[in-house]
Amino acid sequence: MENIYLAVIDDTALASSIYVNIALAGITLMLIAFWSRSIQNSRARLITYATMMISVVSISSYMGLASGLTIDTLVMPDGHALAGQETLSLWGRYLTWTLSTPFILLALGLMAGSTGDKIFSAIVLDVFMCLTGLAAALTTSSYAMRWFWYLLSSAFFVGVLYYLLAEWPKEAKAKGTGNIFNTLKLLTVFMWIGYPVIWALGNEGLALLNVGVTSWGYSILDIIAKYAFTIILVLYVKKEPEAITSPTGVVSATAR
């Protein structure tokens, strides 16, 4: 573990991609805690608390990466560009995504005024997407099996996209939160598409990018998909709480 920790510290790109996320998650958490003081409605507060948990999970998980606790060395299988070589696997990122992305979907589902069963279904698909992605990253017995897990993870992602692009936009429009939901939906969809792209190009996939560059790719996506997302959403909830709490289709003129 000490050697892995030193390997992280000695790689400037890798270390900076981790510590920058810890700092930004902390700043975001403090901002949300300050802004949320004026939010009184229970539904609006639930959305706010869900977004706060995104940063809480990120800080904890990135500390695991920084300490080397959730990083291991793996020997890539035959067929991989790094076959027979050891490469760092930052599998703790998948732990981060498994625990944080459900809160993003919970906040979006509540924002859209969706039902509990749809929100639950989207979250289940999301969790399986992250876990099968973890399986893709950790499989060393077969190069083909790594890509099988990758494709299975992508299939679960398609299920998540169904709710983000087909189900929830209609519900958000009916509730009167269509504009803000569409903004957050597009931000989420575009950023989340970037993760499988980085995996395919990074050291875990085709190895066109080294570990440090791969890690920074993920970190930039995290910064936008988590912290920027959180700030945009909470500022809206703070400014237009009646849009969240009003009955479907009944919103103030400023919320339209």
Side-chain angles (χ1 to χ4, degrees):
M1 186 63 65
E2 181 181 357
N3 290 337
I4 293 178
Y5 172 76
L6 292 177
V8 173
I9 295 298
D10 291 341
D11 189 326
T12 302
L14 178 56
S16 61
S17 71
I18 294 172
Y19 287 109
V20 165
N21 258 277
I22 294 174
L24 291 178
I27 292 171
T28 303
L29 184 58
M30 289 188 290
L31 287 174
I32 304 311
F34 177 75
W35 289 333
S36 66
R37 295 182 305 164
S38 62
I39 300 174
Q40 301 301 322
N41 179 269
S42 59
R43 186 179 181 86
R45 290 181 72 85
L46 178 57
I47 294 175
T48 303
Y49 292 154
T51 59
M52 289 179 68
M53 289 305 299
I54 298 168
S55 293
V56 171
V57 170
S58 292
I59 291 174
S60 303
S61 298
Y62 271 101
M63 284 299 297
L65 292 173
S67 63
L69 181 64
T70 56
I71 301 177
D72 280 308
T73 56
L74 299 178
V75 177
M76 292 293 103
D78 291 341
H80 192 279
L82 302 176
Q85 301 179 40
E86 283 192 344
T87 185
L88 286 178
S89 173
L90 279 69
W91 61 266
R93 286 193 179 276
Y94 297 90
L95 179 64
T96 305
W97 300 328
T98 302
L99 296 175
S100 64
T101 52
F103 290 110
I104 295 176
L105 292 175
L106 174 61
L108 285 172
L110 291 172
M111 174 69 68
S114 189
T115 57
D117 60 321
K118 292 180 181 179
I119 295 175
F120 176 78
S121 297
I123 288 175
V124 168
L125 288 168
D126 172 67
V127 169
F128 278 105
M129 173 186 75
C130 296
L131 292 179
T132 49
L134 173 61
L138 294 182
T139 296
T140 58
S141 58
S142 166
Y143 184 55
M145 189 59 69
R146 290 176 67 87
W147 285 102
F148 170 80
W149 283 116
Y150 174 86
L151 292 175
L152 184 57
S153 177
S154 299
F156 285 121
F157 183 34
V158 171
V160 175
L161 290 178
Y162 169 75
Y163 286 98
L164 289 173
L165 298 176
E167 286 287 333
W168 291 352
K170 295 182 295 184
E171 296 175 337
K173 182 178 181 180
K175 185 172 179 59
T177 56
N179 288 338
I180 184 62
F181 179 84
N182 285 334
T183 297
L184 295 171
K185 172 196 70 178
L186 291 174
L187 184 151
T188 300
V189 169
F190 282 123
M191 292 302 103
W192 284 20
I193 288 174
Y195 289 97
V197 172
I198 293 295
W199 193 98
L201 298 177
N203 64 301
E204 295 172 315
L206 299 173
L208 299 178
L209 307 175
N210 63 32
V211 174
V213 175
T214 300
S215 184
W216 255 116
Y218 286 138
S219 290
I220 292 172
L221 293 174
D222 275 356
I223 290 168
I224 300 172
K226 294 179 181 179
Y227 317 133
F229 171 94
T230 295
I231 290 172
I232 293 171
L233 178 54
V234 173
L235 285 177
Y236 176 83
V237 173
K238 183 175 183 294
K239 181 180 178 182
E240 303 288 354
E242 70 276 12
I244 307 300
T245 61
S246 63
T248 300
V250 181
V251 293
S252 67
T254 57
R256 290 190 179 96

